[in-house]
Amino acid sequence: MKKNSGLNELIYEYYESRILFGVYRYGEQLLSVPKICASFRLGRNTIQMALDKLEKNGYIETEERKVARVVYQGTEETFRENAIKYFVPRREGMLDINRQGPLLFSPVWERGLRNFERSIS
């Protein structure tokens, strides 16, 4: 179970942020567990642990053999507030990526382009 703890946490945060920002709204259904597994290429137990935590924290509700449904009830104002609470503490990191991104990503991009050009030649 320890092996999956980081992955299920990522899945949890993926859905939590989308619920808190209003991407998924009250009453909407999430994808089925097999579809979530396929889209993230992860096992059922990893996905189920994330969904269990979402349910425990009041974001979704699940019934046996049915897809999860969003039960978090936010307003446009709370969605904006949630986004601010999420992004403001990350401001410095996001600015750092903006400043250092070319150093990190440009070499990878250029190499990928060279490999692509070679493969079509």
Side-chain angles (χ1 to χ4, degrees), residues 3 10 30 35 50 61 99:
K3 181 179 173 186
L10 286 173
L30 301 183
K35 287 182 181 178
E61 191 173 86
R99 290 187 295 261

Side-chain angles (χ1 to χ4, degrees), residues 4-14 16 46 50 53:
N4 290 333
S5 65
L7 293 174
N8 70 54
E9 196 62 31
L10 286 173
I11 302 305
Y12 170 81
E13 289 175 5
Y14 173 87
E16 178 193 42
T46 302
K53 186 173 178 182

Side-chain angles (χ1 to χ4, degrees), residues 73-105:
Q73 294 185 39
T75 64
E76 292 304 318
E77 184 178 336
T78 58
F79 295 141
R80 280 192 300 277
E81 288 173 6
N82 292 338
I84 290 168
K85 288 176 189 173
Y86 181 84
F87 287 111
V88 168
R90 293 162 175 82
R91 182 178 184 275
E92 289 303 315
M94 290 171 21
L95 290 174
D96 192 42
I97 286 175
N98 185 41
R99 290 187 295 261
Q100 305 304 322
L103 293 172
L104 297 170
F105 301 113

